[in-house]
Amino acid sequence: MRRSITTLVLISVLLVSVSSSPAQRRNDKSKKPTMTALASERGADNITAAQLRDYLSFIASDELEGRDTPSRGLDTAAKFIAMSMSRWGLKPAGDDGTYFQKIALRRDLIDRTLTRVQFNGFSLDLGNDYIPSPRAGDVSGQLVFAGSGWLLKSKNIDGFKGIDAKGKIAIVFSPLSGLPRGTIRSDLTGKRGEDWMEPGEYARKQGAVGLIVVPDFQFFASWEVNRQRLTERGTIMVEKFQTQTVGLLPTIIASPRLASILFQGERQNATTLYERAYGGNELPASFALSEGKVMSITVTPKGEPLATQNVVAVFEGSDPVLKNEYVALGAHYDHEGMNSLARGDRIYNGADDDGSGTTTLIAIAEALSKARIKPKRSVLLVWHTGEEKGLWGSRYFADYPTVPLGQIVTQINLDMVGRSKKEGDTNPRNLNLSGPNQIYVIGSRMMSTELGDLAEHVNKSYLNLTYDYRYDDPKDPNRFFFRSDHYNYAKKGIPIIFFFDGEHEDYHRVTDTADKIDYQKMEKIARTVYMTMFEIANRPARPTIDKQLPTELR
C-alpha cells in the first residue's frame, strides 16, 4: 500500500513538472533582456574610465605637440590609432589596404624677395604695414572704397553700388572669415554669383584688379600671430579643394596704420569707417578715393606639397546582408598645434577638443573586438583630420568616400565629450559647460524623427544621462551644427547625432589638458554612444529620413 501511494505521488509530481515547463519557458522567452544586460552581452562594460584615461594621456601629451594639421604629432597619433585597430582585428578602410585615407595638401608661402607693395611710390613694409595673401598678381590702380565688399540682396547690401571699380583696387572693411555685421548664414538666399557674393568674387566681377581688406578687431589683436601664420607658415589647403581659389584677386590685409594713411583727407576717415563697419551704424555709401592715390601690388607665392590623412577602420557586421551597410562613428583627432610666440607653455594639447572624442572612438573599437556578439551592420570608424582648419577631413571623406556613402545609415559625431562643470563653478566662461551627468545632443531629429527617438530610448533605458537639446535649433546663434564634422555627412543626406559637452574656459587654450577631464562622465557617454550604435546596427531597416535639413542648415 505504501509503495502504491509513493508511486502515485511521484507520477503526480512528474505530470505537474512536465505540464508546467513549456509555459514557464514561454514566459521566460517573453521577457526581454534589460538594456543593462544587453550592454554587458554586447561588450559595453569593456569601456572604462581607467582605459579612457590611459589613451587620452597619450593622445593629449606634449609629445604629440598639439596635433596640428599637418604635423609630426598628428602623424604619430594616426599611427597609434591604426596600430590599435590592427591589434584588435578591425579592417583597414583607407587607401590601398591601409588605415590611412591620404589627403594631398599644398602650402603656399610668400616669396618675400619678389613681393612688394607701394603707395604713391613709397614702399610699404611687409608684416608691419600689410600682410599679403598668397595669390599671385602684379597690379596697379587707383583706390575705391567698397563698403563691406559684399553683395547680399536679401539684406539690401551692395558694396560696389554707385562706383566704377574697373581697373581699380578696392578697399573693403570686412571680416576675413564670416559674414558682414548683422547678417547670418540663412541670409545667403538665392543663387551664388547673382543674389550674393563674397568681397573677392564680387570685386572681380566688378572689374577690380586687387583688394585691400581692413579686418576686424580680433584679427588686429592677433596681428603678430597672423603675420607669422600667413607669411612664415604659409596658407595650407587641400589640393582638391583649391579649384575654388582660381582667379581670385591679389589681396593684402591692411594694418591700422596703413588704413589710416589710405583715408587721410577723404570724406570719411579710417577710424569712423572702422567703427561703423564693426560696431556702429551701417557703412556709408561707397566712393572713389582721391585720384592721386595709387597703389601697386606685386605678390609672388611659392608652393610646396604636403600631406595628411584620415584614419579609417571597419568592424564588420554579422548579418550577411546588413553588413554591407554602416553605422559611422567619427571624431577629429587634430588640434591647434603650438604657439611659437608664447612664453611658457605653448602646446595646445586639445584633451577635450577633441582628444576626448578621439579616445572614445578608440575605446569603442576595443570594446567591439571583445564583445561576445557582433552588431548586424558594420561599424565605420573615421578619425578626421583638419577639423580645426575648416572640417577638411570630413569634407574630404564625404566627397571621396572609401565605402559607398549611400550605405552609411547614420553618422554619430563626438567632439568634446570629456569636460563637466563642477558644483559651485561661477566662472562665466563655464556658464554653458554641461554637468557630470549631462551632454548636449544636436541634430538627432533634424532629418530622422525615428533616429532621435531611438537615441532617447537607449539613453533613458540604460544610463539615463541628461540630454540637453538647447543647441538643437537651426537658428542657434552659436552655429554649433556647422562647426564640427557631422555637418559634411548631413549635407550628403545622412542623418546624424552630435554629442558635445559645451564650450569652457580652456576651449582652444593651452590649458585644455588631460588632468581636467571627467573620465567617469566620458565612460558614461562612451557606453551610451556604443549602445546607441548597436541599436541602430541591429534594426531591420535603417532610420527613416522623414525631414529635409532646415534651410538654415544647408
Side-chain angles (χ1 to χ4, degrees):
M1 184 73 176
R2 291 178 60 186
R3 183 181 300 172
S4 300
I5 292 172
T6 302
T7 302
L8 288 171
V9 169
L10 287 171
I11 292 170
S12 299
V13 169
L14 287 170
L15 286 171
V16 170
S17 175
V18 170
S19 63
S20 63
S21 292
Q24 186 174 347
R25 284 196 295 271
R26 284 194 299 272
N27 288 335
D28 288 343
K29 286 182 179 180
S30 66
K31 291 181 180 178
K32 293 182 179 180
T34 65
M35 193 64 73
T36 302
L38 277 176
S40 180
E41 187 177 46
R42 292 171 175 176
D45 295 351
N46 290 314
I47 301 172
T48 67
Q51 167 204 38
L52 293 164
R53 183 190 297 272
D54 284 346
Y55 293 146
L56 186 55
S57 295
F58 175 69
I59 292 294
S61 65
D62 284 354
E63 286 75 12
L64 267 61
E65 300 172 338
R67 310 186 308 277
D68 197 8
T69 305
S71 70
R72 176 180 59 183
L74 188 71
D75 292 346
T76 301
K79 290 175 182 177
F80 172 77
I81 295 167
M83 178 192 69
S84 300
M85 298 306 104
S86 179
R87 285 176 54 214
W88 299 326
L90 277 77
K91 292 186 175 182
D95 300 328
D96 304 320
T98 73
Y99 292 98
F100 305 123
Q101 182 187 31
K102 288 291 185 181
I103 303 175
L105 306 175
R106 176 183 173 87
R107 185 205 304 272
D108 287 326
L109 293 159
I110 297 296
D111 188 332
R112 298 180 71 98
T113 62
L114 298 176
T115 296
R116 56 188 177 274
V117 175
Q118 292 186 328
F119 176 59
N120 285 352
F122 291 96
S123 294
L124 300 177
D125 183 40
L126 192 160
N128 290 320
D129 292 325
Y130 70 96
I131 300 173
S133 294
R135 300 167 187 161
D138 186 2
V139 300
S140 180
Q142 294 184 4
L143 304 177
V144 293
F145 165 66
S148 69
W150 278 81
L151 173 67
L152 199 54
K153 290 183 179 179
S154 66
K155 301 295 285 187
N156 198 30
I157 294 174
D158 185 346
F160 286 84
K161 184 178 180 180
I163 58 170
D164 177 13
K166 190 172 182 178
K168 298 181 175 65
I169 294 174
I171 308 171
V172 299
F173 285 68
S174 181
L176 288 167
S177 60
L179 296 161
R181 180 182 54 84
T183 62
I184 57 177
R185 187 177 178 83
S186 59
D187 293 325
L188 302 180
T189 58
K191 186 177 180 181
R192 182 171 187 162
E194 293 182 6
D195 299 298
W196 64 273
M197 281 182 274
E198 295 176 352
E201 60 185 320
Y202 194 25
R204 185 175 69 251
K205 191 168 184 177
Q206 292 293 314
V209 296
L211 195 65
I212 302 170
V213 179
V214 181
D216 56 14
F217 175 78
Q218 186 175 3
F219 189 95
F220 284 144
S222 303
W223 180 269
E224 184 57 26
V225 173
N226 288 315
R227 181 202 63 77
Q228 185 186 70
R229 174 174 59 87
L230 292 171
T231 62
E232 296 178 19
R233 292 188 56 207
T235 300
I236 302 174
M237 281 294 295
V238 177
E239 277 196 350
K240 288 188 176 180
F241 299 167
Q242 280 197 314
T243 54
Q244 298 177 354
T245 65
V246 173
L248 290 183
L249 300 176
T251 300
I252 65 168
I253 303 162
S255 69
R257 174 181 175 274
L258 176 57
S260 179
I261 291 172
L262 295 178
F263 284 94
Q264 281 181 357
E266 301 297 336
R267 66 179 79 170
Q268 300 281 349
N269 62 44
T271 301
T272 300
L273 292 172
Y274 184 84
E275 289 174 349
R276 296 184 71 168
Y278 297 115
N281 299 319
E282 293 182 4
L283 282 165
S286 301
F287 59 89
L289 275 67
S290 304
E291 287 190 11
K293 293 182 176 180
V294 176
M295 179 168 282
S296 63
I297 300 174
T298 302
V299 178
T300 305
K302 55 183 179 180
E304 62 180 12
L306 298 170
T308 186
Q309 62 279 312
N310 290 325
V311 185
V312 192
V314 167
F315 186 84
E316 190 172 71
S318 61
D319 187 276
V321 176
L322 293 179
K323 71 177 183 180
N324 296 314
E325 295 183 340
Y326 304 87
V327 181
L329 302 178
H332 72 89
Y333 72 108
D334 68 306
H335 194 55
E336 295 282 346
M338 297 187 289
N339 180 0
S340 60
L341 299 176
R343 296 179 180 177
D345 189 359
R346 60 194 184 101
I347 299 175
Y348 293 90
N349 299 96
D352 191 29
D353 185 16
D354 185 27
S356 60
T358 296
T359 301
T360 297
L361 253 62
I362 296 172
I364 285 174
E366 184 175 9
L368 279 167
S369 72
K370 296 177 179 178
R372 295 196 296 272
I373 59 172
K374 295 168 68 174
K376 293 181 179 180
R377 286 183 177 82
S378 296
V379 180
L380 173 71
L381 299 108
V382 186
W383 287 265
H384 301 108
T385 185
E387 190 269 358
E388 301 289 2
K389 305 299 185 190
L391 314 186
W392 284 358
S394 56
R395 178 182 167 189
Y396 194 91
F397 188 87
D399 287 349
Y400 308 99
T402 62
V403 303
L405 206 64
Q407 298 298 98
I408 299 177
V409 303
T410 298
Q411 200 269 346
I412 300 175
N413 182 35
L414 304 170
D415 191 352
M416 298 174 60
V417 291
R419 290 289 290 267
S420 62
K421 185 176 180 178
K422 296 179 181 178
E423 186 175 353
D425 185 348
T426 59
N427 188 332
R429 293 180 60 87
N430 293 331
L431 178 64
N432 295 313
L433 178 60
S434 55
N437 201 57
Q438 176 190 20
I439 191 72
Y440 296 116
V441 179
I442 301 173
S444 62
R445 291 187 175 90
M446 287 287 188
M447 301 169 69
S448 173
T449 304
E450 181 183 356
L451 178 61
D453 292 346
L454 179 151
E456 187 75 36
H457 169 74
V458 170
N459 176 54
K460 286 187 175 179
S461 58
Y462 183 37
L463 298 180
N464 199 26
L465 293 161
T466 299
Y467 276 9
D468 191 321
Y469 296 99
R470 75 179 69 176
Y471 300 125
D472 195 24
D473 180 355
K475 294 182 172 60
D476 168 31
N478 300 282
R479 295 171 56 77
F480 287 130
F481 190 89
F482 296 93
R483 290 168 55 181
S484 194
D485 292 312
H486 60 276
Y487 175 62
N488 284 314
Y489 291 85
K491 286 201 304 181
K492 297 288 187 179
I494 298 169
I496 65 92
I497 309 175
F498 173 29
F499 290 88
F500 171 57
D501 60 28
E503 291 186 347
H504 49 73
E505 61 185 318
D506 300 307
Y507 175 66
H508 280 200
R509 295 188 174 192
V510 296
T511 47
D512 182 8
T513 49
D515 59 300
K516 297 180 179 179
I517 296 295
D518 182 344
Y519 291 98
Q520 294 298 327
K521 175 177 179 174
M522 267 188 74
E523 176 188 288
K524 288 186 284 187
I525 293 169
R527 291 184 177 188
T528 300
V529 169
Y530 184 89
M531 290 300 291
T532 303
M533 171 272 294
F534 234 107
E535 286 295 303
I536 298 168
N538 284 355
R539 286 287 177 101
R542 62 171 63 198
T544 301
I545 297 175
D546 56 352
K547 292 178 282 188
Q548 295 293 317
L549 268 181
T551 304
E552 297 92 337
L553 302 180
R554 295 178 194 170

